[in-house]
Amino acid sequence: MKNNLSTVLKKQGYHKIFLRNNGAGHFKLNIKVNGTTGNFILDTGASHTVVDEAASGKFSLKFSNKASKDAGGLGNSALKTRKSTGNMIDLKGFQIKKAALIAIDLSHVNNTLKKGGSGRIDDVIGSDILKKHKALIDYSEKALYLK
């Protein structure tokens, strides 16, 4: 029998986004930020959606004048961050307006992914977006549902 989860969730107002596996075991997807496509991975353990500092110009991110903060995690104990607000994210037709993104140096993440056989990423979709949009992940169908 065909998976009825998709039908039920669509009736409840969810948008289905297909996912692909990368070489390192993460789900990946191409998403537009401010009209430019980037390579993202889905990370349910990341507290924020982050953009590689090196890709911030590519996505036309504008930053506040507030001092940067240190962030932990992502395999490093203290990383400088910069916050960008008012961004448009398009996840295969599911649009998030006025999204906040955190720019951070992801070179160490990209080096690890490269060693694991995966391509480089520009961004990480974190739990801030996943929680806000009531995310459900269907691992068998490789699909992300957002509302």
Side-chain angles (χ1 to χ4, degrees), residues 20-91:
R20 299 179 318 275
N21 287 326
N22 70 2
H26 296 97
F27 279 134
K28 67 178 182 176
L29 57 162
N30 293 331
I31 296 173
K32 287 185 180 180
V33 175
N34 300 326
T36 301
T37 302
N39 299 313
F40 283 70
I41 60 171
L42 191 64
D43 187 348
T44 59
S47 60
H48 291 87
T49 297
V50 299
V51 174
D52 187 3
E53 182 70 43
S56 61
K58 170 182 173 177
F59 298 115
S60 303
L61 300 185
K62 294 177 178 69
F63 298 100
S64 67
N65 292 328
K66 292 181 182 178
S68 67
K69 296 180 180 181
D70 289 340
L74 294 169
N76 201 328
S77 60
L79 297 168
K80 295 290 181 194
T81 67
R82 296 191 301 155
K83 185 175 184 177
S84 175
T85 57
N87 298 288
M88 168 65 92
I89 297 176
D90 185 333
L91 295 102

